[in-house]
Amino acid sequence: MTSNRRTFLKLAASAGGGLLLGFHWTDSEAAPRSDGTFNSYLAISPDGTITIQSPNPEVGQNIKTAFPMLVAEDLDVDWKRVVIVQAPLNTTAFERQVAGGSGSIRHSYQRLRKAGATARQMLMQAAAKRWQVPVQDCTTDKGFVLHAGKKLSYGELATEASALPIPTDVVLKDRKAFKLIGQSVANTDNPSIVMGKPLFGLDFYREGMLFAMIQRPTAFGLKVKSVDAEAAKAMPGIVDVVTFKNNVAIVGKSTWQVQKAREVVKIAYEKEADLESTADHNRLLQEMLDSSKATVRRKDGDVDTAFQQAAKIIKAEYQCPFLPHNPMEPMNFFAHVRPDGVELVGPTQTPELARTETAKLLNISPERVSVTMTRMGGGFGRRLKADYVLEAAELSSLIKAPVKVIWTREDDMGGGSYRPCVRYRFEAALDAQNNLIGYKLRGVGFNVGNSTREDNFPSGAVPNLLIDSVDRKSAITTGPWRAPITNFLAFAEQSFLDEVAQAAGKDPVAFRLALLDQAKAKPAGAIKYDIDRMKAVIQLAAQKAGWGQKKNQGFSVYFSHNSYVAQVTEVSVKKGIPVVSKIHAAVDCGLVVNPSGARQQVVGSIVDGLGHAMYGNLSFKEGVPEQKNFNSFRLIRLSEIPEVDVHFVDNGIDPTGLGEPALPPTGGSVANALFKVTGKRLRNQPFSEEYKELL
C-alpha cells in the first residue's frame, strides 16, 4: 500500500497473474491514483473470479451487498462470479468508513460505479490490443470482452490489463442498460447466517484470549468507593479482578466463569451526582417548557402579532421517554495491546473513532492501532460510540493479555447510552378563514442539545414561525438513537398538524399539500427540503391507500436523511380493541440499488417505529433503570406486526438515505389513525400508557 502504482501492479500480476485495482474515494471524481494510496479495490483472478472489498461496517443495512453491486454493475460481470470481502479500517485507502446517518450509498454511489467502469475500460483496452482493433468497437457482457464474434474472459485479460495505464476519464452505464442495479439480490451473508458461521463480534475467538465482564455503577450518579474481590478471585477459571476508572472487571477463561464470579464481588458506591428519577424528569421538563430562557433556532415574520390577531389558537404538548437501543447482539469487543501495537476486533459503526480514541487513551499513534470489523447484530446508533471498545483496550493494557469484553443484556439496558427523554410544546394560530398564520415549537430535553429540526416542514410554509429549544445536563448517558431527534419529533409534528387540520375543518392530506403549495408560491424564509419530492410521496401514499375512502386511516409524512417518506396507517377494531392492521408507505430515496434490501429497510424501520411508539419505555428510580431485560421492557411481538405495503418513487435522481427515514413518520400515522377510530388523541409515548384499556 506504500509502493508506487507501477510496482503495485507488478506485484499484483506476479501473485499468480490477474488484475488488482485500487480506487481512491477522497477525490470527488473517484479517479484512480498513482501514488499507491487506494480505497475500495477489486481483484480479478485468471479463473475469472471477481473479488470486491466492501469497506463500510455492516450493521444489517445490507451495505456489504449493495456496495459490491455498484462496482459489479459498471464492471459488467456475472454476479455469481463475485466474491465479497469485508475490508478492515484503512483511513489512508478509504473515506467515510461509517455506518450512520443513512449516508453510505449516497456518499459512494458514483465513486464505486466509476471504480467498476475504470476496470472495465482497462480490460477492453487489453482485448483491443490483442485483437488489434479499436477499443470503441469492443463491448462487454457478464465478465467477457466481445468483438465481432470473438470473446475473451476478464480472467484471460487480467494480467495484460494490469500493465496498461489507468484511464482517468470513463463513461458510466446509462441507467437503461443496468443489469444488476435495480434487481433484488440476496444478502451476501445469508448462507453464513443461516448456517451459524462466525460473522458477528460475539462469534470472534482467538486462541489464548481471556474473557471479561465489567460491573459498572448500579445507578447513574454513583462512583466506586471500595471493592472486595477475594471470593471472586478464588473461583475456578478466574484470572484477575481489575478496578479501573469507574469499572470493576472480572477476567477469566470463560464467559460463564466470569459471570458467576461477578455475582460475588462486593462493591461499595458513593454518590457523585443527583440520583434522578422519572418524576424528577417530568418536573424538570415542565420547568424547561415554561422557562423564559431558550435558544432560538428559527424565527420568521412577526409571531407575536400573528397570535394576538388569531381567530383560533391550538395548543398541544407531546412527550417521549428515554429508550435503550436494544440491539440483539449486546456490546462486545476484543483487544490485544502489545508493545508493538494494538489489535481491535469487533462490531463498531465508527471504526475510525474506535482507533483514534484508543490511541488517545493509550497515548500512542493511531497508526499503531488496527481495527477489524465484524458484522453487527444491530446497532441503531449505540455502536456509534466507542466506550465499550475503550473498556477492552484499557483492560488489555492493564492485564497484559488479549481479552474480549462482553456485556450481558442487563449491562446493555442498565448502563447503556439512551435516546434522550424529550417534551415538545406546539402552538398554531388560525385566521378567520382557517389559514395557518402562526406556528410555535419549543423542544426541551436532557443531553440532547437541539431537540428540534428547525428547517424541516412546515418551516417555510408558515409566514410567522418561532422554533426554540432548552437543554439540561443529566447524569444519565444519552446518544444517537435510530433517526436521531426525528424519531419522536416527527410523531409530535405530524400529530399536531392533524390537530390543526381538524381545527381548521380541512382534510389532513389536503391541508399539508396546501401548505407545500404555499411554501413554493410564497416561501417564508429558507426552504431546506424539496417541496416537489415531498408532494410526490404524499400523493403516492394517498393514492395507494385509497385515502378518503375509509374512516380508519391516519396520515403522516416526513423528510429526514435526504429522503421523503409518507405513510397511511389503517386501524381495525377486533373484539373492541383497535389494532394496527396495515401501513402503506411511499418512499423517495432516489434510485433503489437493491429492491429486496430496500424493502426490508423500510419494513424494519416501520416495525421499529411502531413497536417503540406503542410499547417502548425506560423509567428511572434514584438513578437506576427500572427495565433491564425483555421481561420488563415491552417489545412488539410477531403477531402485532401489520401488513406493510411499500412503494418507491422513481424520480431519476441518485440514491439518498434509507436506513432511517421510514421510522420517523410511523408514530404519527398510527396515532392519527387511532384518533380516527377512537376519538382519543395520543400525545405521549408509549401509547400503551394512555391507552391500556384498549390495548
Side-chain angles (χ1 to χ4, degrees), residues 17 27 33 49 75 111 141 166 203 207 231 284 295 323 356-357 359 436 481 487 533 547 565 595 619 631 655 667:
D27 186 322
R33 303 240 313 196
T49 300
L75 181 60
R111 293 167 170 83
D141 182 48
I166 299 176
D203 296 326
E207 188 69 32
L284 292 169
T295 301
L323 282 182
T356 55
E357 291 297 304
L436 180 58
W481 193 94
N487 58 65
R533 291 180 69 188
W547 178 264
V565 180
S619 56
N631 62 324

Side-chain angles (χ1 to χ4, degrees), residues 427-438:
E427 299 178 57
L430 299 176
D431 64 13
Q433 290 73 44
N434 285 319
N435 297 311
L436 180 58
I437 59 171

Side-chain angles (χ1 to χ4, degrees), residues 314-319 491-508 511-512 547 553-556 667-694:
I314 303 95
K315 296 182 180 181
E317 293 182 8
Y318 301 80
Q319 184 169 325
F491 153 70
E493 287 181 341
Q494 291 297 304
S495 295
F496 183 67
L497 284 178
D498 257 41
E499 295 199 44
V500 177
Q502 182 189 19
K506 299 178 180 179
D507 173 81
F511 179 67
R512 289 168 173 82
W547 178 264
Q553 294 180 328
F555 182 82
S556 178
S669 68
V670 170
N672 291 333
L674 287 169
F675 171 77
K676 288 280 191 70
V677 173
T678 68
K680 181 179 177 63
R681 289 283 180 195
L682 298 175
R683 298 192 179 96
N684 299 309
Q685 291 186 5
F687 297 155
S688 57
E689 293 297 307
E690 292 185 344
Y691 221 46
K692 287 180 179 178
E693 71 278 7
L694 295 177

